[in-house]
Amino acid sequence: MIASTAGGEAGPVAIICGAGKFPYAVADAVISRGRGVVLFALRGFAEPAKVAAYPHHWCHVGQVGRFVRLARAEGCEEMVFIGSLVRPSIGQLRFDLTTIRMLPRIIAAYKGGDKHLLSGVGRIAEHFGFRLLGAHELAPDILVPEGKLGLHAPSGRDLADITQGLALLAVMGRFDIGQAAVVAAHRVVAVEAAEGTDRMLARVADLRRDGLLRLSGKVGVLVKAPKPDQDRRFDLPSVGTRTVEAAAAAGLAGIALEANGAISADLPDMIRAADTAGLFVVGVAPATAASNKP
Amino acid sequence: MIASTAGGEAGPVAIICGAGKFPYAVADAVISRGRGVVLFALRGFAEPAKVAAYPHHWCHVGQVGRFVRLARAEGCEEMVFIGSLVRPSIGQLRFDLTTIRMLPRIIAAYKGGDKHLLSGVGRIAEHFGFRLLGAHELAPDILVPEGKLGLHAPSGRDLADITQGLALLAVMGRFDIGQAAVVAAHRVVAVEAAEGTDRMLARVADLRRDGLLRLSGKVGVLVKAPKPDQDRRFDLPSVGTRTVEAAAAAGLAGIALEANGAISADLPDMIRAADTAGLFVVGVAPATAASNKP
């Protein structure tokens, strides 16, 4: 078995768990290949009922020293940071001595956009001798593959909308925002910034309902892609069955995801939901430099 | 008086009136300089009670022949298209014979983004021998001037947010969207597409209230600017007292507008509202090519 062979290579993987389903999907993928895991569950973000099924420790955001000490004691050399983490309020932070020593570096990271914050985490991990991996390196099955993924296929108009969306996201990524947009009938109708994909899709549904966006029938594509220069160990754009539900409620024709640049913790379920709702789901190649002009 | 001299030059200006206050602000500005106006009020958009105070005709969107016949009979040679016009539904359109002959051209314009739609209107006007003017050419007072416009001034952090916002809008304009964004503490938190500025600001207020956007105190700037290659006879970004109210509700520090590239029908009232709310309002120079990189 490949699993047991891989198991001999290294100690358990330290999985720092934010919110959502991804931490457990990644943990299961690692375990299925015969390797151990230790979850470092972030209080207020990780789900206690899920966490309990794995070897774990609870941490507050900000307890760098606690993490380093426990992860070393568990024999972890590799770590992954997965799950959503809405920027914690100051009240949610707990600083230990190690963290306080790192504070200037952390504050510098906190001041920038998401990209800087997460890159800061990566540098801190390396400072303490851990190797920071991307979740998709440990659990390749969560990556969205290329091609038509369900029963339905994009039309020619949908393909044009997808091209336009990818080009827009490539340009916006330079501003450290925007892993998602909705393009409908050659028009960009919504751009995601701090609100997240589900709220952006709810907005499109509202605009259509209120007559501020006049589109007839199933039209428009949710396009998601990572930022062009993104550290892929963090924050790849993610989708799931809820994304399909929100896209269907917004009256879209389908969903286009950058192949190998977006993740799903429940891809088969998501594709089934899209098939049932009559939406296409496709994995598409990234925008090329040439297509970055509209 | 300049006004009466100008009055002798040409027939009345044909003002095609969409929704909002701008058509009447422009009409008043033209009249104050001694020139006549004829309002062509679009049913479902222009306000009957306001329209009644001026020489006028009612039209449906799509009645090109009716407009051409009436405007010629009134002696109009110059026209302006002003006021908001959410894309009319098919049911709101009335086509006359002239329109039907123009249909291939109109449909081509309708398919594109806003820029294409409005450029199509300009070409049609010229086809019939009218000169299409920008509202700001007839009513320069509606243009936002450069400099600090109220009591309050932007901080150094606000100025950095403004620079970032202008650079983002310049890049997004290539995709025919985005005359507005909110940047807070060096992070782009909202980008406007089809929803309009008021709804975008309401979203920022919601995100803060729901804890999805953690910012303390008055922070962030609403930045508005036209698209770099925009036909300035149409759809300059507009602001008013409602914009100030929405920006205050979103907890922003102020509003930055491209000087001579944004319009307000009630600028003095708006500035008073901003002074009272403690928000700055500034007219700023457009993003330079060099600043288009974040």
Side-chain angles (χ1 to χ4, degrees):
Chain A
M1 303 276 284
I2 295 169
S4 52
T5 315
E9 283 173 4
V13 178
I15 302 180
I16 303 184
C17 307
K21 297 176 183 174
F22 280 102
Y24 320 105
V26 171
D28 292 343
V30 172
I31 291 166
S32 76
R33 292 201 273 172
R35 190 163 171 196
V37 297
V38 180
L39 271 53
F40 290 84
L42 297 174
R43 283 194 196 279
F45 298 96
E47 287 173 50
K50 293 269 199 182
V51 168
Y54 306 86
H56 68 275
H57 300 283
W58 283 94
C59 297
H60 284 276
V61 175
Q63 293 184 316
V64 176
R66 177 175 162 80
F67 168 76
V68 169
R69 191 176 66 248
L70 290 170
R72 282 181 180 160
E74 297 276 7
C76 302
E77 292 173 4
E78 296 185 322
M79 60 179 281
V80 63
F81 182 99
I82 182 75
S84 68
L85 187 65
V86 171
R87 290 174 163 225
S89 63
I90 296 297
Q92 279 181 289
L93 297 174
R94 297 283 167 89
F95 291 160
D96 56 28
L97 255 176
T98 308
T99 308
I100 289 168
R101 279 194 215 106
M102 305 291 291
L103 264 187
R105 195 182 289 222
I106 293 166
I107 287 168
Y110 203 79
K111 271 187 183 162
D114 286 327
K115 188 165 59 185
H116 308 100
L117 178 62
L118 295 170
S119 303
V121 172
R123 283 194 303 272
I124 290 167
E126 283 154 17
H127 174 84
F128 287 103
F130 296 99
R131 192 167 155 246
L132 184 72
L133 301 175
H136 58 286
E137 297 176 80
L138 291 163
D141 286 356
I142 67 175
L143 276 178
V144 172
E146 191 157 355
K148 190 187 87 164
L149 303 182
L151 292 174
H152 308 286
S155 69
R157 182 180 67 185
D158 296 331
L159 290 173
D161 286 347
I162 293 167
T163 303
Q164 195 176 343
L166 288 173
L168 172 69
L169 296 182
V171 163
M172 290 209 322
R174 283 163 38 198
F175 292 84
D176 206 11
I177 51 160
Q179 296 186 317
V182 175
V183 185
H186 313 304
R187 183 175 172 217
V188 178
V189 298
V191 175
E192 177 184 325
E195 73 273 25
T197 304
D198 289 354
R199 284 188 179 225
M200 177 184 65
L201 290 172
R203 172 162 90 246
V204 174
D206 288 348
L207 291 172
R208 292 184 78 163
R209 185 200 59 213
D210 298 349
L212 292 171
L213 189 57
R214 298 189 189 282
L215 297 166
S216 33
K218 268 188 195 166
V219 58
V221 184
L222 166 67
V223 184
K224 296 194 75 166
K227 299 157 198 163
D229 60 349
Q230 181 169 330
D231 183 338
R232 297 202 168 202
R233 294 175 301 177
F234 298 109
D235 195 32
L236 283 180
S238 65
V239 286
T241 49
R242 266 175 54 195
T243 317
V244 170
E245 288 158 17
L252 303 189
I255 298 172
L257 307 162
E258 187 180 306
N260 302 311
I263 54 177
S264 177
D266 59 357
L267 193 59
D269 288 346
M270 179 189 152
I271 292 168
R272 267 191 296 277
D275 287 348
T276 306
L279 269 66
F280 67 80
V281 181
V282 287
V284 293
T288 60
S291 72
N292 279 2
K293 282 167 193 148
Chain B
M1 303 275 285
I2 295 169
S4 52
T5 315
E9 283 172 6
V13 178
I15 302 181
I16 302 184
C17 306
K21 296 176 183 174
F22 280 102
Y24 321 103
V26 172
D28 292 344
V30 172
I31 291 166
S32 76
R33 291 200 274 170
R35 188 161 172 198
V37 298
V38 180
L39 272 54
F40 291 83
L42 295 174
R43 284 196 195 279
F45 299 97
E47 287 173 50
K50 294 270 199 181
V51 168
Y54 306 87
H56 69 274
H57 300 283
W58 283 95
C59 298
H60 285 277
V61 175
Q63 293 183 316
V64 176
R66 177 175 161 81
F67 168 76
V68 170
R69 192 176 64 249
L70 289 169
R72 283 180 178 160
E74 296 277 7
C76 302
E77 292 173 2
E78 295 185 324
M79 59 179 280
V80 63
F81 182 100
I82 183 76
S84 67
L85 187 65
V86 171
R87 290 176 164 222
S89 63
I90 295 298
Q92 279 182 290
L93 298 173
R94 297 283 167 91
F95 291 161
D96 56 27
L97 253 177
T98 308
T99 308
I100 289 167
R101 278 195 215 104
M102 305 290 290
L103 265 186
R105 196 182 290 222
I106 292 166
I107 287 171
Y110 202 80
K111 273 188 184 163
D114 286 326
K115 189 166 59 186
H116 308 101
L117 179 61
L118 295 170
S119 303
V121 171
R123 283 195 303 272
I124 291 167
E126 283 154 17
H127 173 84
F128 288 104
F130 296 100
R131 194 169 152 243
L132 185 72
L133 301 175
H136 58 285
E137 296 175 80
L138 291 162
D141 287 356
I142 66 173
L143 276 178
V144 172
E146 189 155 356
K148 189 186 88 163
L149 303 182
L151 293 174
H152 308 285
S155 68
R157 183 180 66 181
D158 296 331
L159 291 173
D161 286 346
I162 293 167
T163 302
Q164 195 177 343
L166 289 173
L168 172 69
L169 297 182
V171 163
M172 289 210 320
R174 284 165 36 200
F175 291 84
D176 206 13
I177 50 160
Q179 295 187 317
V182 175
V183 185
H186 313 304
R187 183 175 172 218
V188 178
V189 297
V191 175
E192 177 185 326
E195 72 274 25
T197 303
D198 289 353
R199 283 188 179 227
M200 177 184 64
L201 290 170
R203 172 162 88 245
V204 174
D206 288 347
L207 291 172
R208 291 183 79 162
R209 184 199 60 212
D210 298 349
L212 292 172
L213 190 57
R214 298 189 189 282
L215 298 165
S216 34
K218 268 187 197 167
V219 59
V221 184
L222 167 67
V223 184
K224 296 193 74 165
K227 299 157 200 165
D229 61 350
Q230 180 168 332
D231 183 338
R232 297 201 168 203
R233 294 174 301 177
F234 298 108
D235 193 33
L236 283 179
S238 66
V239 285
T241 50
R242 267 176 52 194
T243 317
V244 170
E245 288 158 18
L252 302 189
I255 298 172
L257 307 163
E258 187 180 305
N260 303 311
I263 55 176
S264 178
D266 58 357
L267 193 58
D269 288 346
M270 178 189 152
I271 292 167
R272 267 191 296 276
D275 287 349
T276 306
L279 269 66
F280 68 79
V281 181
V282 288
V284 293
T288 59
S291 71
N292 279 2
K293 283 168 193 148

